Amino acid sequence: MREAAFVKQNKDKWVTFENALNGQGQLEPDELSSLYIEITDHLSYAKTFYEGSNTQFYLNSLASKAHQKIYKTKRESKNRIVSFWKTEFPLMFFQHRKELLIAFLVFTFFTIVGAFSSANEGDFVRSILGDGYVNMTLENIENNDPMAVYKQQGEFNMFLGITINNIKVAVFAFAFGIFLGVGTLFIMLRNGIMLGSFQYFFYDKGLLWESVRTIWIHGTIEISVIIIAGCAGLVLANGILFPCTYSRLESFKRGVKNGLKIMVSTIPFFIIAGFLEGFVTRHTEMPDWLAILIILSSLSLIVFYYIIYPYQLNKKPLYANS
């Protein structure tokens, strides 16, 4: 069916439902429920056959407004925090998987750039990591303890300092989205190049495995969540650049709101990463199997909560069109 014919056939139902939501008309509960189900069916149809069209955006807005109206009339749950982590955030985050993919690809690309530049430019590593860090690490390598940097501070002080610093990086990645996403992409660029240079430095010294099995104990979550913070910045930028059916101001507000939700979701993971770096990474004597177990467990947690679980939740009939 052509889009114009689809709209003409169903427009009256949509207007009736919208008026009821705005308090401009009265409908029996059964009729309202029936219309809601029908409109979510129409939304699914529009997503399939008119993807990216104004019809899809309108129906999505209408279904979302109805969903919010339903939950506003409900008594606030005592388990509001639980519901945020369990349903509200994953459902919202699924809508921004494209921004997540862009942040990941940009970060990965510049990680490769950092490694490539380090391999082809002798002073590149020093220009990125600094002479102080490079000289200290070279001295640690000579002393047969290349990862000694993780043992210099006390556990708690290191945990606290690293956690705060990582959260600051994430906040910048999000806030710089206000510059139409360019600032966010710059944070991804900078951190990606640092990571690539860092890993190549140890590869060049014949210590790639030693660095990977040590650094990625905490780095798996730390780097992943910085990328997710980059996603939050792109969500903010997207709200400014692509308002769709909303006014630019309303779209901006939605971008800020969703970006902030993404940022809130990262805080526990940054705490976990800080804990691992402060209390666990320093134990370089741990067996390889244990280090690998921690790394794979961390990766599984991130992939499940931010990719697999939102997808599974979105496919459930109760949430699929909300």
Side-chain angles (χ1 to χ4, degrees):
M1 183 186 298
R2 291 184 178 180
E3 184 179 355
F6 177 70
V7 172
K8 184 178 180 180
Q9 180 179 313
N10 298 293
K11 183 178 178 182
D12 290 343
K13 296 177 183 178
W14 303 344
V15 171
T16 300
F17 187 72
E18 187 172 20
N19 288 338
L21 290 179
N22 293 330
Q24 298 172 357
Q26 293 292 328
L27 292 175
E28 293 295 325
D30 288 345
E31 187 178 0
L32 189 63
S33 175
S34 177
L35 273 176
Y36 176 68
I37 292 170
E38 197 167 355
I39 282 168
T40 55
D41 288 341
H42 291 166
L43 174 58
S44 296
Y45 186 87
K47 283 181 177 179
T48 302
F49 296 103
Y50 318 122
E51 186 175 3
S53 68
N54 288 333
T55 302
Q56 181 196 335
F57 291 132
Y58 170 74
L59 289 171
N60 188 66
S61 173
L62 200 58
S64 297
K65 188 174 181 180
H67 181 78
Q68 291 169 7
K69 201 91 171 177
I70 291 168
Y71 280 88
K72 272 186 182 177
T73 60
K74 288 186 175 182
R75 192 181 191 174
E76 189 70 18
S77 171
K78 293 180 181 178
N79 296 321
R80 178 69 177 79
I81 295 176
V82 173
S83 67
F84 172 81
W85 295 100
K86 186 177 179 181
T87 55
E88 181 182 339
F89 170 75
L91 282 171
M92 181 278 296
F93 191 69
F94 182 78
Q95 302 170 17
H96 300 297
R97 55 197 183 279
K98 290 182 181 178
E99 289 93 335
L100 177 62
L101 178 60
I102 292 170
F104 171 76
L105 291 176
V106 169
F107 188 92
T108 302
F109 174 75
F110 283 106
T111 299
I112 295 169
V113 168
F116 181 80
S117 300
S118 299
N120 290 277
E121 180 60 47
D123 294 330
F124 188 79
V125 171
R126 287 183 176 274
S127 68
I128 297 298
L129 302 180
D131 288 333
Y133 180 83
V134 172
N135 292 336
M136 176 192 64
T137 304
L138 289 173
E139 185 178 338
N140 290 337
I141 291 172
E142 290 179 5
N143 295 330
N144 296 316
D145 194 3
M147 300 295 131
V149 65
Y150 296 106
K151 307 172 186 178
Q152 291 182 341
Q153 286 183 284
E155 284 101 333
F156 182 77
N157 288 338
M158 191 170 186
F159 155 68
L160 192 61
I162 290 295
T163 301
I164 292 173
N165 181 70
N166 288 338
I167 290 175
K168 283 171 61 179
V169 172
V171 168
F172 282 129
F174 167 59
F176 283 4
I178 197 73
F179 301 113
L180 306 182
V182 175
T184 296
L185 294 177
F186 175 76
I187 297 294
M188 296 295 99
L189 176 156
R190 185 170 179 272
N191 283 273
I193 287 177
M194 286 178 62
L195 177 61
S197 302
F198 184 83
Q199 287 289 198
Y200 182 81
F201 173 70
F202 284 101
Y203 166 78
D204 190 49
K205 302 302 176 185
L207 294 166
L208 179 62
W209 172 244
E210 179 65 21
S211 69
V212 167
R213 53 94 62 197
T214 302
I215 295 160
W216 287 92
I217 286 175
H218 63 271
T220 302
I221 292 180
E222 181 181 297
I223 297 300
S224 297
V225 185
I226 287 175
I227 292 171
I228 291 164
C231 168
L234 294 179
V235 169
L236 171 57
N238 192 52
I240 301 171
L241 293 169
F242 306 107
C244 298
T245 58
Y246 301 102
S247 68
R248 198 168 296 277
L249 179 59
E250 180 61 26
S251 179
F252 171 69
K253 289 178 180 178
R254 290 170 66 88
V256 171
K257 182 179 178 181
N258 288 347
L260 284 173
K261 286 182 178 180
I262 295 171
M263 291 301 297
V264 169
S265 81
T266 66
I267 293 174
F269 292 98
F270 274 127
I271 293 173
I272 294 171
F275 174 83
L276 290 172
E277 187 165 358
F279 291 89
V280 181
T281 301
R282 65 180 55 241
H283 295 289
T284 55
E285 75 283 355
M286 76 169 65
D288 285 353
W289 69 265
L290 181 55
I292 293 170
L293 177 63
I294 295 171
I295 292 168
L296 291 180
S297 297
S298 298
L299 181 61
S300 298
L301 176 62
I302 291 292
V303 170
F304 174 76
Y305 187 69
Y306 283 100
I307 299 175
I308 297 174
Y309 182 60
Y311 176 82
Q312 291 177 337
L313 198 62
N314 186 74
K315 294 304 176 184
K316 289 184 178 180
L318 179 62
Y319 303 112
N321 297 309
S322 63

